[in-house]
PDB file of all heavy atoms in Angstrom:
ATOM      1  N   ILE A 112     110.356  11.326  22.974  1.00  0.00           N
ATOM      2  CA  ILE A 112     109.876  12.434  22.269  1.00  0.00           C
ATOM      3  C   ILE A 112     110.758  12.764  21.084  1.00  0.00           C
ATOM      4  O   ILE A 112     110.375  13.087  19.945  1.00  0.00           O
ATOM      5  CB  ILE A 112     109.666  13.681  23.175  1.00  0.00           C
ATOM      6  CG1 ILE A 112     108.502  13.514  24.124  1.00  0.00           C
ATOM      7  CG2 ILE A 112     109.468  14.964  22.303  1.00  0.00           C
ATOM      8  CD1 ILE A 112     108.368  14.462  25.130  1.00  0.00           C
ATOM      9  N   GLU A 113     112.096  12.739  21.370  1.00  0.00           N
ATOM     10  CA  GLU A 113     113.056  13.050  20.254  1.00  0.00           C
ATOM     11  C   GLU A 113     112.917  12.075  19.100  1.00  0.00           C
ATOM     12  O   GLU A 113     113.044  12.437  18.025  1.00  0.00           O
ATOM     13  CB  GLU A 113     114.446  13.053  20.853  1.00  0.00           C
ATOM     14  CG  GLU A 113     115.527  13.314  19.834  1.00  0.00           C
ATOM     15  CD  GLU A 113     116.954  13.232  20.415  1.00  0.00           C
ATOM     16  OE1 GLU A 113     117.057  12.917  21.631  1.00  0.00           O
ATOM     17  OE2 GLU A 113     117.945  13.427  19.740  1.00  0.00           O
ATOM     18  N   THR A 114     112.755  10.779  19.500  1.00  0.00           N
ATOM     19  CA  THR A 114     112.630   9.696  18.518  1.00  0.00           C
ATOM     20  C   THR A 114     111.447   9.867  17.705  1.00  0.00           C
ATOM     21  O   THR A 114     111.382   9.737  16.479  1.00  0.00           O
ATOM     22  CB  THR A 114     112.658   8.304  19.111  1.00  0.00           C
ATOM     23  OG1 THR A 114     113.855   8.170  19.908  1.00  0.00           O
ATOM     24  CG2 THR A 114     112.574   7.214  18.158  1.00  0.00           C
ATOM     25  N   ILE A 115     110.246  10.239  18.329  1.00  0.00           N
ATOM     26  CA  ILE A 115     108.927  10.510  17.678  1.00  0.00           C
ATOM     27  C   ILE A 115     109.099  11.587  16.575  1.00  0.00           C
ATOM     28  O   ILE A 115     108.707  11.448  15.446  1.00  0.00           O
ATOM     29  CB  ILE A 115     107.846  10.795  18.686  1.00  0.00           C
ATOM     30  CG1 ILE A 115     107.527   9.532  19.503  1.00  0.00           C
ATOM     31  CG2 ILE A 115     106.555  11.265  17.992  1.00  0.00           C
ATOM     32  CD1 ILE A 115     106.680   9.889  20.654  1.00  0.00           C
ATOM     33  N   LYS A 116     109.757  12.555  17.013  1.00  0.00           N
ATOM     34  CA  LYS A 116     109.917  13.765  16.122  1.00  0.00           C
ATOM     35  C   LYS A 116     110.787  13.609  14.976  1.00  0.00           C
ATOM     36  O   LYS A 116     110.577  13.894  13.891  1.00  0.00           O
ATOM     37  CB  LYS A 116     110.329  15.063  17.016  1.00  0.00           C
ATOM     38  CG  LYS A 116     109.258  15.636  17.925  1.00  0.00           C
ATOM     39  CD  LYS A 116     109.734  16.825  18.622  1.00  0.00           C
ATOM     40  CE  LYS A 116     108.611  17.288  19.602  1.00  0.00           C
ATOM     41  NZ  LYS A 116     109.077  18.528  20.376  1.00  0.00           N
ATOM     42  N   THR A 117     112.035  13.010  15.301  1.00  0.00           N
ATOM     43  CA  THR A 117     113.018  12.808  14.242  1.00  0.00           C
ATOM     44  C   THR A 117     112.648  11.794  13.235  1.00  0.00           C
ATOM     45  O   THR A 117     113.004  11.813  12.045  1.00  0.00           O
ATOM     46  CB  THR A 117     114.418  12.501  14.812  1.00  0.00           C
ATOM     47  OG1 THR A 117     114.199  11.327  15.712  1.00  0.00           O
ATOM     48  CG2 THR A 117     114.925  13.631  15.719  1.00  0.00           C
ATOM     49  N   LYS A 118     111.849  10.703  13.666  1.00  0.00           N
ATOM     50  CA  LYS A 118     111.483   9.632  12.786  1.00  0.00           C
ATOM     51  C   LYS A 118     110.052   9.745  12.364  1.00  0.00           C
ATOM     52  O   LYS A 118     109.550   8.823  11.755  1.00  0.00           O
ATOM     53  CB  LYS A 118     111.734   8.306  13.416  1.00  0.00           C
ATOM     54  CG  LYS A 118     113.242   8.098  13.726  1.00  0.00           C
ATOM     55  CD  LYS A 118     113.509   6.694  14.264  1.00  0.00           C
ATOM     56  CE  LYS A 118     114.948   6.462  14.556  1.00  0.00           C
ATOM     57  NZ  LYS A 118     115.751   6.424  13.321  1.00  0.00           N
ATOM     58  N   ASN A 119     109.309  10.860  12.649  1.00  0.00           N
ATOM     59  CA  ASN A 119     108.010  11.055  12.246  1.00  0.00           C
ATOM     60  C   ASN A 119     107.179   9.853  12.619  1.00  0.00           C
ATOM     61  O   ASN A 119     106.364   9.319  11.814  1.00  0.00           O
ATOM     62  CB  ASN A 119     107.888  11.314  10.779  1.00  0.00           C
ATOM     63  CG  ASN A 119     108.555  12.639  10.365  1.00  0.00           C
ATOM     64  OD1 ASN A 119     108.361  13.599  11.001  1.00  0.00           O
ATOM     65  ND2 ASN A 119     109.297  12.631   9.275  1.00  0.00           N
ATOM     66  N   ILE A 120     107.178   9.421  13.829  1.00  0.00           N
ATOM     67  CA  ILE A 120     106.537   8.155  14.313  1.00  0.00           C
ATOM     68  C   ILE A 120     105.082   8.501  14.492  1.00  0.00           C
ATOM     69  O   ILE A 120     104.733   9.459  15.074  1.00  0.00           O
ATOM     70  CB  ILE A 120     107.160   7.642  15.591  1.00  0.00           C
ATOM     71  CG1 ILE A 120     108.518   6.923  15.219  1.00  0.00           C
ATOM     72  CG2 ILE A 120     106.299   6.697  16.359  1.00  0.00           C
ATOM     73  CD1 ILE A 120     109.280   6.518  16.352  1.00  0.00           C
ATOM     74  N   THR A 121     104.181   7.581  14.094  1.00  0.00           N
ATOM     75  CA  THR A 121     102.706   7.688  14.288  1.00  0.00           C
ATOM     76  C   THR A 121     102.091   6.632  15.070  1.00  0.00           C
ATOM     77  O   THR A 121     100.799   6.610  15.325  1.00  0.00           O
ATOM     78  CB  THR A 121     102.113   7.756  12.903  1.00  0.00           C
ATOM     79  OG1 THR A 121     102.393   6.622  12.196  1.00  0.00           O
ATOM     80  CG2 THR A 121     102.496   8.934  12.144  1.00  0.00           C
ATOM     81  N   ASP A 122     102.957   5.581  15.412  1.00  0.00           N
ATOM     82  CA  ASP A 122     102.337   4.399  16.048  1.00  0.00           C
ATOM     83  C   ASP A 122     103.287   3.923  17.187  1.00  0.00           C
ATOM     84  O   ASP A 122     104.507   4.008  17.019  1.00  0.00           O
ATOM     85  CB  ASP A 122     101.992   3.237  15.050  1.00  0.00           C
ATOM     86  CG  ASP A 122     101.438   2.010  15.756  1.00  0.00           C
ATOM     87  OD1 ASP A 122     100.188   2.045  15.713  1.00  0.00           O
ATOM     88  OD2 ASP A 122     102.050   1.118  16.182  1.00  0.00           O
ATOM     89  N   GLU A 123     102.726   3.471  18.342  1.00  0.00           N
ATOM     90  CA  GLU A 123     103.596   3.017  19.381  1.00  0.00           C
ATOM     91  C   GLU A 123     104.499   1.866  19.061  1.00  0.00           C
ATOM     92  O   GLU A 123     105.562   1.672  19.633  1.00  0.00           O
ATOM     93  CB  GLU A 123     102.720   2.675  20.626  1.00  0.00           C
ATOM     94  CG  GLU A 123     101.874   1.537  20.564  1.00  0.00           C
ATOM     95  CD  GLU A 123     100.538   1.857  20.093  1.00  0.00           C
ATOM     96  OE1 GLU A 123     100.296   2.875  19.522  1.00  0.00           O
ATOM     97  OE2 GLU A 123      99.589   1.044  20.231  1.00  0.00           O
ATOM     98  N   LYS A 124     104.129   1.008  18.085  1.00  0.00           N
ATOM     99  CA  LYS A 124     104.914  -0.170  17.667  1.00  0.00           C
ATOM    100  C   LYS A 124     106.283   0.355  17.041  1.00  0.00           C
ATOM    101  O   LYS A 124     107.250  -0.327  17.188  1.00  0.00           O
ATOM    102  CB  LYS A 124     104.140  -1.001  16.703  1.00  0.00           C
ATOM    103  CG  LYS A 124     103.041  -1.639  17.279  1.00  0.00           C
ATOM    104  CD  LYS A 124     102.297  -2.635  16.283  1.00  0.00           C
ATOM    105  CE  LYS A 124     101.095  -3.375  16.955  1.00  0.00           C
ATOM    106  NZ  LYS A 124     100.306  -4.178  15.969  1.00  0.00           N
ATOM    107  N   GLN A 125     106.186   1.548  16.499  1.00  0.00           N
ATOM    108  CA  GLN A 125     107.413   2.130  15.900  1.00  0.00           C
ATOM    109  C   GLN A 125     108.401   2.566  16.916  1.00  0.00           C
ATOM    110  O   GLN A 125     109.566   2.395  16.866  1.00  0.00           O
ATOM    111  CB  GLN A 125     107.087   3.346  14.958  1.00  0.00           C
ATOM    112  CG  GLN A 125     106.296   2.910  13.710  1.00  0.00           C
ATOM    113  CD  GLN A 125     105.679   4.199  13.018  1.00  0.00           C
ATOM    114  OE1 GLN A 125     104.824   4.810  13.457  1.00  0.00           O
ATOM    115  NE2 GLN A 125     106.388   4.476  11.906  1.00  0.00           N
ATOM    116  N   VAL A 126     107.816   3.148  18.011  1.00  0.00           N
ATOM    117  CA  VAL A 126     108.622   3.426  19.270  1.00  0.00           C
ATOM    118  C   VAL A 126     109.290   2.146  19.827  1.00  0.00           C
ATOM    119  O   VAL A 126     110.542   2.224  20.043  1.00  0.00           O
ATOM    120  CB  VAL A 126     107.782   4.114  20.298  1.00  0.00           C
ATOM    121  CG1 VAL A 126     108.606   4.366  21.535  1.00  0.00           C
ATOM    122  CG2 VAL A 126     107.270   5.527  19.808  1.00  0.00           C
ATOM    123  N   THR A 127     108.589   1.190  19.860  1.00  0.00           N
ATOM    124  CA  THR A 127     109.048  -0.204  20.460  1.00  0.00           C
ATOM    125  C   THR A 127     110.202  -0.667  19.560  1.00  0.00           C
ATOM    126  O   THR A 127     111.264  -1.152  20.006  1.00  0.00           O
ATOM    127  CB  THR A 127     107.929  -1.149  20.571  1.00  0.00           C
ATOM    128  OG1 THR A 127     106.952  -0.621  21.449  1.00  0.00           O
ATOM    129  CG2 THR A 127     108.580  -2.482  21.077  1.00  0.00           C
ATOM    130  N   ALA A 128     109.954  -0.605  18.273  1.00  0.00           N
ATOM    131  CA  ALA A 128     110.995  -1.020  17.227  1.00  0.00           C
ATOM    132  C   ALA A 128     112.339  -0.271  17.341  1.00  0.00           C
ATOM    133  O   ALA A 128     113.347  -0.840  17.227  1.00  0.00           O
ATOM    134  CB  ALA A 128     110.412  -0.960  15.809  1.00  0.00           C
ATOM    135  N   CYS A 129     112.231   1.049  17.707  1.00  0.00           N
ATOM    136  CA  CYS A 129     113.370   1.916  17.724  1.00  0.00           C
ATOM    137  C   CYS A 129     114.090   1.876  19.063  1.00  0.00           C
ATOM    138  O   CYS A 129     115.267   1.766  19.144  1.00  0.00           O
ATOM    139  CB  CYS A 129     112.993   3.382  17.488  1.00  0.00           C
ATOM    140  SG  CYS A 129     112.535   3.691  15.754  1.00  0.00           S
ATOM    141  N   LEU A 130     113.256   1.842  20.076  1.00  0.00           N
ATOM    142  CA  LEU A 130     113.777   1.908  21.521  1.00  0.00           C
ATOM    143  C   LEU A 130     113.614   0.793  22.492  1.00  0.00           C
ATOM    144  O   LEU A 130     114.038   0.812  23.622  1.00  0.00           O
ATOM    145  CB  LEU A 130     113.275   3.222  22.189  1.00  0.00           C
ATOM    146  CG  LEU A 130     113.454   4.533  21.356  1.00  0.00           C
ATOM    147  CD1 LEU A 130     112.790   5.609  22.065  1.00  0.00           C
ATOM    148  CD2 LEU A 130     114.951   4.855  21.240  1.00  0.00           C
ATOM    149  N   LYS A 131     112.757  -0.211  22.023  1.00  0.00           N
ATOM    150  CA  LYS A 131     112.330  -1.324  22.852  1.00  0.00           C
ATOM    151  C   LYS A 131     111.222  -0.927  23.868  1.00  0.00           C
ATOM    152  O   LYS A 131     110.611  -1.752  24.463  1.00  0.00           O
ATOM    153  CB  LYS A 131     113.520  -1.982  23.589  1.00  0.00           C
ATOM    154  CG  LYS A 131     114.488  -2.629  22.679  1.00  0.00           C
ATOM    155  CD  LYS A 131     115.533  -3.388  23.549  1.00  0.00           C
ATOM    156  CE  LYS A 131     116.521  -4.173  22.672  1.00  0.00           C
ATOM    157  NZ  LYS A 131     117.522  -4.898  23.512  1.00  0.00           N
ATOM    158  N   ALA A 132     111.109   0.393  24.138  1.00  0.00           N
ATOM    159  CA  ALA A 132     110.143   0.881  25.102  1.00  0.00           C
ATOM    160  C   ALA A 132     108.760   0.331  24.756  1.00  0.00           C
ATOM    161  O   ALA A 132     108.332   0.388  23.676  1.00  0.00           O
ATOM    162  CB  ALA A 132     110.138   2.325  25.208  1.00  0.00           C
ATOM    163  N   GLY A 133     108.035  -0.224  25.778  1.00  0.00           N
ATOM    164  CA  GLY A 133     106.773  -0.775  25.621  1.00  0.00           C
ATOM    165  C   GLY A 133     106.741  -2.276  25.079  1.00  0.00           C
ATOM    166  O   GLY A 133     105.682  -2.982  24.978  1.00  0.00           O
ATOM    167  N   GLY A 134     107.969  -2.735  24.861  1.00  0.00           N
ATOM    168  CA  GLY A 134     108.076  -4.168  24.289  1.00  0.00           C
ATOM    169  C   GLY A 134     108.147  -5.359  25.256  1.00  0.00           C
ATOM    170  O   GLY A 134     108.144  -6.466  24.985  1.00  0.00           O
ATOM    171  N   ASN A 135     107.935  -4.993  26.635  1.00  0.00           N
ATOM    172  CA  ASN A 135     108.073  -6.029  27.637  1.00  0.00           C
ATOM    173  C   ASN A 135     106.725  -6.198  28.243  1.00  0.00           C
ATOM    174  O   ASN A 135     105.866  -6.850  27.861  1.00  0.00           O
ATOM    175  CB  ASN A 135     109.177  -5.898  28.622  1.00  0.00           C
ATOM    176  CG  ASN A 135     109.440  -7.080  29.543  1.00  0.00           C
ATOM    177  OD1 ASN A 135     109.298  -8.155  29.112  1.00  0.00           O
ATOM    178  ND2 ASN A 135     109.700  -6.815  30.797  1.00  0.00           N
ATOM    179  N   CYS A 136     106.485  -5.419  29.414  1.00  0.00           N
ATOM    180  CA  CYS A 136     105.230  -5.599  30.131  1.00  0.00           C
ATOM    181  C   CYS A 136     104.042  -4.806  29.462  1.00  0.00           C
ATOM    182  O   CYS A 136     102.885  -5.094  29.672  1.00  0.00           O
ATOM    183  CB  CYS A 136     105.394  -5.193  31.611  1.00  0.00           C
ATOM    184  SG  CYS A 136     105.605  -3.388  31.816  1.00  0.00           S
ATOM    185  N   GLY A 137     104.493  -3.710  28.691  1.00  0.00           N
ATOM    186  CA  GLY A 137     103.475  -2.952  27.968  1.00  0.00           C
ATOM    187  C   GLY A 137     102.687  -1.938  28.821  1.00  0.00           C
ATOM    188  O   GLY A 137     101.865  -1.229  28.333  1.00  0.00           O
ATOM    189  N   SER A 138     103.095  -1.793  30.113  1.00  0.00           N
ATOM    190  CA  SER A 138     102.360  -0.863  31.020  1.00  0.00           C
ATOM    191  C   SER A 138     102.579   0.594  30.574  1.00  0.00           C
ATOM    192  O   SER A 138     101.811   1.537  31.011  1.00  0.00           O
ATOM    193  CB  SER A 138     102.720  -1.059  32.431  1.00  0.00           C
ATOM    194  OG  SER A 138     104.098  -0.836  32.615  1.00  0.00           O
ATOM    195  N   CYS A 139     103.647   0.880  29.819  1.00  0.00           N
ATOM    196  CA  CYS A 139     103.978   2.307  29.482  1.00  0.00           C
ATOM    197  C   CYS A 139     103.353   2.636  28.046  1.00  0.00           C
ATOM    198  O   CYS A 139     103.455   3.777  27.685  1.00  0.00           O
ATOM    199  CB  CYS A 139     105.458   2.496  29.415  1.00  0.00           C
ATOM    200  SG  CYS A 139     106.290   1.450  28.171  1.00  0.00           S
ATOM    201  N   LEU A 140     102.744   1.694  27.399  1.00  0.00           N
ATOM    202  CA  LEU A 140     102.183   2.012  26.051  1.00  0.00           C
ATOM    203  C   LEU A 140     101.157   3.168  26.044  1.00  0.00           C
ATOM    204  O   LEU A 140     101.210   3.994  25.147  1.00  0.00           O
ATOM    205  CB  LEU A 140     101.558   0.746  25.479  1.00  0.00           C
ATOM    206  CG  LEU A 140     102.563  -0.338  24.976  1.00  0.00           C
ATOM    207  CD1 LEU A 140     101.955  -1.601  24.500  1.00  0.00           C
ATOM    208  CD2 LEU A 140     103.554   0.153  23.915  1.00  0.00           C
ATOM    209  N   PRO A 141     100.186   3.188  27.026  1.00  0.00           N
ATOM    210  CA  PRO A 141      99.302   4.397  26.973  1.00  0.00           C
ATOM    211  C   PRO A 141     100.039   5.722  27.057  1.00  0.00           C
ATOM    212  O   PRO A 141      99.617   6.644  26.436  1.00  0.00           O
ATOM    213  CB  PRO A 141      98.497   4.171  28.300  1.00  0.00           C
ATOM    214  CG  PRO A 141      98.469   2.636  28.445  1.00  0.00           C
ATOM    215  CD  PRO A 141      99.906   2.229  28.128  1.00  0.00           C
ATOM    216  N   GLU A 142     101.090   5.834  27.881  1.00  0.00           N
ATOM    217  CA  GLU A 142     101.899   7.061  28.045  1.00  0.00           C
ATOM    218  C   GLU A 142     102.541   7.360  26.660  1.00  0.00           C
ATOM    219  O   GLU A 142     102.609   8.511  26.185  1.00  0.00           O
ATOM    220  CB  GLU A 142     102.861   7.027  29.081  1.00  0.00           C
ATOM    221  CG  GLU A 142     103.617   8.345  29.348  1.00  0.00           C
ATOM    222  CD  GLU A 142     104.448   8.362  30.684  1.00  0.00           C
ATOM    223  OE1 GLU A 142     104.392   7.349  31.308  1.00  0.00           O
ATOM    224  OE2 GLU A 142     105.050   9.329  30.987  1.00  0.00           O
ATOM    225  N   ILE A 143     103.116   6.244  26.075  1.00  0.00           N
ATOM    226  CA  ILE A 143     103.759   6.466  24.678  1.00  0.00           C
ATOM    227  C   ILE A 143     102.739   6.928  23.702  1.00  0.00           C
ATOM    228  O   ILE A 143     103.075   7.806  22.840  1.00  0.00           O
ATOM    229  CB  ILE A 143     104.450   5.135  24.268  1.00  0.00           C
ATOM    230  CG1 ILE A 143     105.671   4.776  25.216  1.00  0.00           C
ATOM    231  CG2 ILE A 143     104.956   5.296  22.832  1.00  0.00           C
ATOM    232  CD1 ILE A 143     106.236   3.472  24.933  1.00  0.00           C
ATOM    233  N   ARG A 144     101.566   6.393  23.684  1.00  0.00           N
ATOM    234  CA  ARG A 144     100.575   6.834  22.686  1.00  0.00           C
ATOM    235  C   ARG A 144     100.222   8.346  22.992  1.00  0.00           C
ATOM    236  O   ARG A 144      99.967   9.099  22.049  1.00  0.00           O
ATOM    237  CB  ARG A 144      99.258   6.016  22.842  1.00  0.00           C
ATOM    238  CG  ARG A 144      99.479   4.633  22.242  1.00  0.00           C
ATOM    239  CD  ARG A 144      98.052   3.967  22.081  1.00  0.00           C
ATOM    240  NE  ARG A 144      97.604   3.451  23.374  1.00  0.00           N
ATOM    241  CZ  ARG A 144      97.775   2.199  23.853  1.00  0.00           C
ATOM    242  NH1 ARG A 144      98.496   1.337  23.196  1.00  0.00           N
ATOM    243  NH2 ARG A 144      97.361   1.952  25.076  1.00  0.00           N
ATOM    244  N   GLY A 145     100.165   8.756  24.288  1.00  0.00           N
ATOM    245  CA  GLY A 145      99.942  10.097  24.594  1.00  0.00           C
ATOM    246  C   GLY A 145     100.974  10.990  24.132  1.00  0.00           C
ATOM    247  O   GLY A 145     100.743  12.159  23.651  1.00  0.00           O
ATOM    248  N   LEU A 146     102.203  10.585  24.181  1.00  0.00           N
ATOM    249  CA  LEU A 146     103.360  11.337  23.681  1.00  0.00           C
ATOM    250  C   LEU A 146     103.335  11.614  22.228  1.00  0.00           C
ATOM    251  O   LEU A 146     103.639  12.599  21.637  1.00  0.00           O
ATOM    252  CB  LEU A 146     104.662  10.805  24.175  1.00  0.00           C
ATOM    253  CG  LEU A 146     104.981  10.778  25.647  1.00  0.00           C
ATOM    254  CD1 LEU A 146     106.301   9.975  25.950  1.00  0.00           C
ATOM    255  CD2 LEU A 146     105.071  12.132  26.175  1.00  0.00           C
ATOM    256  N   ILE A 147     102.902  10.505  21.529  1.00  0.00           N
ATOM    257  CA  ILE A 147     102.773  10.562  20.054  1.00  0.00           C
ATOM    258  C   ILE A 147     101.649  11.542  19.691  1.00  0.00           C
ATOM    259  O   ILE A 147     101.885  12.419  18.749  1.00  0.00           O
ATOM    260  CB  ILE A 147     102.489   9.169  19.464  1.00  0.00           C
ATOM    261  CG1 ILE A 147     103.651   8.212  19.648  1.00  0.00           C
ATOM    262  CG2 ILE A 147     102.100   9.221  17.988  1.00  0.00           C
ATOM    263  CD1 ILE A 147     103.352   6.813  19.343  1.00  0.00           C
TER     264      ILE A 147
END
């Protein structure tokens, strides 16, 4: 959430680029999209 707000993120790929989250199995991507 902090990364989304400070970097004005609009896409889950940007979260993955910053934190790696979602970049392996991808099962958390729906939750990341929900947080965005």
Side-chain angles (χ1 to χ4, degrees):
I112 290 174
E113 181 183 0
T114 303
I115 292 170
K116 290 180 177 179
T117 56
K118 297 185 179 294
N119 297 316
I120 284 175
T121 58
D122 186 90
E123 66 268 19
K124 292 181 180 178
Q125 294 171 287
V126 174
T127 301
C129 294
L130 303 175
K131 294 186 178 180
N135 190 36
C136 72
S138 62
C139 61
L140 289 174
E142 187 172 357
I143 293 174
R144 284 193 287 268
L146 293 174
I147 293 172

